[in-house]
Amino acid sequence: MTESETAGERTVDRRLFMGLVAGGVGGATIVGSTALAAWPRDATTSAGAADAHAGMDMGDQTDSTEAPANVDEMDAMHEDGINQFLANIESPITEGKGAVDAEWTMDGNTRVFELTCSEIDWEVTPGQIEKAMAYNEMVPGPTLRMVEGQRTRIVVTNELPQSTGVHWHGQRVPNDQDGVPFLTQPPIKPGETYTYEFVPGPYGSHMYHSHHNAAEQVSAGLLGALIVEPKDPADEPTHDRDYLYILNDALGGFTINGKGFPATDAYTANLGERVRFRFMNEGTMVHPVHLHGLTFEVFARDGYPLPQPFLCDTITVAPGERWDATVVADNPGTWAFHCHILTHAESPHGMFGMVSVFVVSEEPA
């Protein structure tokens, strides 16, 4: 290794370290390897850009430290990422879509969902295939929509090579339905099926995820949104659109709803519409989400209505937290919408990771 390469490696290591400090270090090994995996590798070509989030060990960092040769090369890399993202708005550039609403059936007055845990290949960015653990073959898992007070049953089948359990994060369930193996239930062993049943509450934005070997299983994709609609719709503000913004920082690097930029979905609205964003952090790091050009009115935390909503343009979402915010789409344009720990969103090779946009159309609601 040359002296300049060694200096470059020291530089990027310090940059990554500062990103870890800014993001909140919780579990140094997990967080450290996450940041390294998310820092772009060689992005001098489209194929290189597609590799930007691939898992790396420290030996691979020398490739990622190679800066663009000149200003034109750097600008071209940044532009290429934006162009791929814009193309993704028109037609997906990766296979697979997570957080799709789950289908359900009724058994008398009980709403019934089925979840299957299995290992899959998941494409995070173009060409970047990760080995994932998933519910119903998607990351995040299917969104479970329930109604406050209506009994719900979830039948979980484990096709993984290891045991698991499912925790209903934010729900006041009976203790034996809480989903923590050896504390509240036996583990769901490979090949077994386990049934959970409870009456949903409180209403609001919640999550579900593994609570067995969780550092590996949740990081690998065993996570999803659990939405409880209020029994009385008047208990929540009304909205024209309702979006999920699920953060994770392990599988494939820094992701929103299971994808990394340029494969992240864009959020859209017509002029004047009231848009609900449900922010959820299933990762191991803190992520301050910033929206350009518009304003959040934050009205709930962890599913509970705030006594006084507040205005901001950056919402800091810690692991396990959920925040609900309304955005009035009153400023037309394509607005950047990203984690503001910049080492989670942009490098010399362009944007990556936790970056999306909010597109406000000139067309009135």
Side-chain angles (χ1 to χ4, degrees), residues 278-319:
R278 302 177 189 260
F279 298 98
M280 305 180 178
N281 189 344
E282 283 277 18
T284 61
M285 306 174 72
V286 171
H287 299 291
V289 181
H290 175 55
L291 175 60
H292 293 206
L294 295 134
T295 304
F296 296 127
E297 180 178 322
V298 184
F299 65 87
R301 179 186 181 185
D302 294 346
Y304 295 100
L306 298 176
Q308 178 61 57
F310 64 90
L311 302 178
C312 65
D313 58 40
T314 306
I315 297 177
T316 300
V317 192

Side-chain angles (χ1 to χ4, degrees), residues 320-333:
E321 285 188 341
R322 291 89 64 214
W323 290 91
D324 287 78
T326 301
V327 176
V328 177
D330 57 4
N331 194 4

Side-chain angles (χ1 to χ4, degrees), residues 66-321:
E66 185 177 345
N70 53 51
V71 63
D72 291 333
E73 185 177 33
M74 178 181 287
D75 289 351
M77 290 177 181
H78 284 246
E79 183 180 24
D80 180 59
I82 295 292
N83 287 339
Q84 289 185 64
F85 176 78
L86 295 175
N88 186 62
I89 296 176
E90 300 300 321
S91 180
I93 60 176
T94 55
E95 293 292 328
K97 183 174 179 59
V100 175
D101 281 5
E103 296 182 357
W104 48 271
T105 59
M106 293 297 296
D107 179 9
N109 294 322
T110 301
R111 185 176 294 206
V112 181
F113 296 93
E114 294 187 1
L115 292 178
T116 299
C117 313
S118 63
E119 292 184 319
I120 64 167
D121 289 334
W122 185 254
E123 190 173 19
V124 180
T125 61
Q128 181 201 348
I129 310 297
E130 302 289 345
K131 295 294 183 183
M133 299 181 187
Y135 295 115
N136 293 8
E137 299 188 330
M138 66 182 76
V139 180
T143 299
L144 305 182
R145 292 190 178 270
M146 308 174 183
V147 178
E148 179 189 21
Q150 181 189 71
R151 181 166 289 276
T152 299
R153 181 183 306 142
I154 306 102
V155 181
V156 180
T157 299
N158 182 14
E159 295 181 356
L160 297 169
Q162 56 183 269
S163 299
T164 192
V166 186
H167 170 59
W168 316 104
H169 188 105
Q171 291 297 282
R172 293 177 59 88
V173 300
N175 185 249
D176 62 2
Q177 300 301 299
D178 196 45
V180 184
F182 300 111
L183 187 62
T184 65
Q185 67 168 81
I188 311 172
K189 291 186 176 295
E192 292 185 349
T193 295
Y194 193 91
T195 299
Y196 297 90
E197 190 163 329
F198 55 87
V199 176
Y203 66 80
S205 300
H206 304 286
M207 306 186 295
Y208 68 96
H209 51 78
S210 169
H211 219 294
H212 185 76
N213 188 22
E216 177 184 358
Q217 292 188 7
V218 178
S219 294
L222 287 182
L223 59 103
L226 189 160
I227 307 300
V228 181
E229 304 293 346
K231 192 178 338 182
D232 182 357
D235 287 342
E236 288 191 318
T238 59
H239 297 89
D240 300 296
R241 300 178 189 245
D242 188 335
Y243 287 125
L244 289 170
Y245 199 112
I246 302 175
L247 301 153
N248 203 354
D249 43 51
L251 180 69
F254 300 109
T255 59
I256 303 169
N257 296 344
K259 301 289 182 176
F261 184 92
T264 48
D265 283 339
Y267 299 94
T268 62
N270 292 329
L271 189 64
E273 286 187 321
R274 290 172 51 81
V275 180
R276 178 178 189 157
F277 288 101
R278 302 177 189 260
F279 298 98
M280 305 180 178
N281 189 344
E282 283 277 18
T284 61
M285 306 174 72
V286 171
H287 299 291
V289 181
H290 175 55
L291 175 60
H292 293 206
L294 295 134
T295 304
F296 296 127
E297 180 178 322
V298 184
F299 65 87
R301 179 186 181 185
D302 294 346
Y304 295 100
L306 298 176
Q308 178 61 57
F310 64 90
L311 302 178
C312 65
D313 58 40
T314 306
I315 297 177
T316 300
V317 192
E321 285 188 341

